[in-house]
Amino acid sequence: MLEFEGATKRFGAVAALQGCTFTAAPGRLTGFLGPNGAGKTTAMRSIFGLVALDDGSVRWQGDAITPAARNRFGYMPEERGLYPRMRVRDQLIYLAVLSGRSRPGAGRRVDDWLERFGLTARAKDRLDTLSHGNQQRVQLIAALVNDPELLVLDEPFSGLDPLAMANMSDVLAERAAHGAAVLFSSHQLDLVEDLCEDVVIVDRGKVVLCGDLARLRAGIRQRFVEVRYAGAAPPLTAVPGASVVERREGLVRLRLADDCDIAEVAALAQSSGRLVSFRYEPPTLSQLFRQAVGS
């Protein structure tokens, strides 16, 4: 279990973290969310000793995090953290050996991951000759070569095409299924909603919402309707207690008051155009996020 307890950090007049308390559990994927500048990267860096907290603590399995414990962690920073002129395979083996693997074992593990990500043919290339997406894959392999118990990733999906995003999602889910705690930040809330069991939302250095995502969604009394049409979406403004929160080509989302008649909404939706689907559901993660950060 990764535990933040009252984590506090200031950079001059800027309060990057203000008493942050949350956990990331083994075997679960935790989405770490917040606006730009909310403190996510500072929190992640503190796990690896790259930022010293002013107050509070970060603990792993109930203990202070030691260099030996960090050898069992994997970290993927948002900015490039590898040597651009070093050859891909050599670099990954070097990093695996630093974490305690034997060189032959490291070579076999690296080769397995290169094959998994379709990079075997680029193994002898310098990192700086690869595309942005392939560099992102190499960066992820660097975080995985020691089979980490804790995997921390800062915007791992940035710049990836849909196939690469699906592949990376599968890898993260597999690591969690094998017992690792996975904590990652992302601005792609739809992806986080599909992938994560838990979420932590921070704003201006403070935790404003955290916990099991399904429970958080179910705990909000508000309900929403998503209506999809073949063609242009009608306004759907004629039902008392129903307000439009989003309308674009082929889609209308409505927020329903407690006393709104869902049957009346369904009848209006069906009579207003070529109906494709009608979904009555709790708020999405995106709606929870906007509510939590006040935007």
Side-chain angles (χ1 to χ4, degrees):
M1 178 84 74
L2 176 71
E3 301 171 279
F4 278 76
E5 182 65 41
T8 299
K9 178 64 181 179
R10 298 188 67 88
F11 295 100
V14 177
L17 298 174
Q18 301 188 63
C20 288
T21 297
F22 65 91
T23 63
R28 293 176 72 87
L29 287 149
T30 300
F32 195 28
L33 313 175
N36 291 330
K40 302 185 298 296
T41 296
T42 298
M44 289 180 168
R45 287 176 175 170
S46 72
I47 299 169
F48 295 89
L50 303 174
V51 168
L53 296 176
D54 298 328
D55 199 6
S57 64
V58 187
R59 305 176 74 82
W60 174 249
Q61 307 294 35
D63 297 321
I65 298 175
T66 64
R70 291 189 182 106
N71 279 339
R72 303 192 302 273
F73 296 172
Y75 180 41
M76 180 178 175
E78 182 177 13
E79 70 279 2
R80 289 285 173 266
L82 302 178
Y83 300 107
R85 297 184 180 182
M86 196 170 179
R87 298 185 188 279
V88 169
R89 185 177 185 272
D90 292 344
Q91 180 159 192
L92 292 171
I93 291 174
Y94 169 71
L95 294 172
V97 170
L98 283 181
S99 70
R101 281 187 174 271
S102 68
R103 183 166 291 276
R108 288 191 295 271
R109 196 71 180 121
V110 166
D111 289 342
D112 288 343
W113 280 117
L114 289 172
E115 182 177 2
R116 172 74 182 269
F117 282 96
L119 292 172
T120 301
R122 309 301 301 271
K124 295 182 179 180
D125 294 349
R126 283 182 14 173
L127 183 73
D128 57 7
T129 66
L130 271 59
S131 67
H132 174 88
N134 280 339
Q135 289 187 34
Q136 193 84 333
R137 290 178 175 91
V138 174
Q139 188 110 334
L140 178 60
I141 294 172
L144 292 167
V145 288
N146 62 334
D147 291 326
E149 298 173 4
L150 171 66
L151 186 57
V152 179
L153 307 105
D154 199 349
E155 293 292 341
F157 297 95
S158 176
L160 296 184
D161 61 51
L163 289 177
M165 288 174 62
N167 194 6
M168 187 172 290
S169 297
D170 289 344
V171 169
L172 300 190
E174 287 174 13
R175 298 316 305 162
H178 282 86
V182 181
L183 176 73
F184 73 93
S185 68
S186 179
H187 291 297
Q188 295 161 288
L189 299 185
D190 291 346
L191 185 150
V192 173
E193 185 168 16
D194 290 341
L195 194 55
C196 291
E197 296 100 340
D198 301 320
V199 295
V200 177
I201 301 178
V202 293
D203 187 29
R204 302 174 192 175
K206 297 180 180 180
V207 175
V208 293
L209 191 69
C210 67
D212 180 278
L213 178 56
R215 292 178 184 172
L216 291 174
R217 294 183 66 206
I220 301 296
R221 291 187 61 186
Q222 287 182 337
R223 289 296 180 265
F224 293 78
V225 164
E226 179 183 282
V227 189
R228 292 186 178 273
Y229 290 92
L236 295 185
T237 56
V239 178
S243 58
V244 177
V245 294
E246 181 183 0
R247 182 169 177 259
R248 50 187 169 85
E249 181 66 25
L251 180 142
V252 182
R253 288 189 64 85
L254 304 171
R255 180 189 293 113
L256 306 187
D258 291 345
D259 58 351
C260 184
D261 186 343
I262 184 64
E264 190 176 353
V265 176
L268 176 65
Q270 190 167 18
S271 65
S272 298
R274 295 172 56 199
L275 189 64
V276 173
S277 65
F278 182 94
R279 295 172 60 188
Y280 178 60
E281 58 186 12
T284 63
L285 176 57
S286 179
Q287 288 155 347
L288 286 179
F289 179 89
R290 290 196 295 268
Q291 182 175 345
V293 304
S295 62

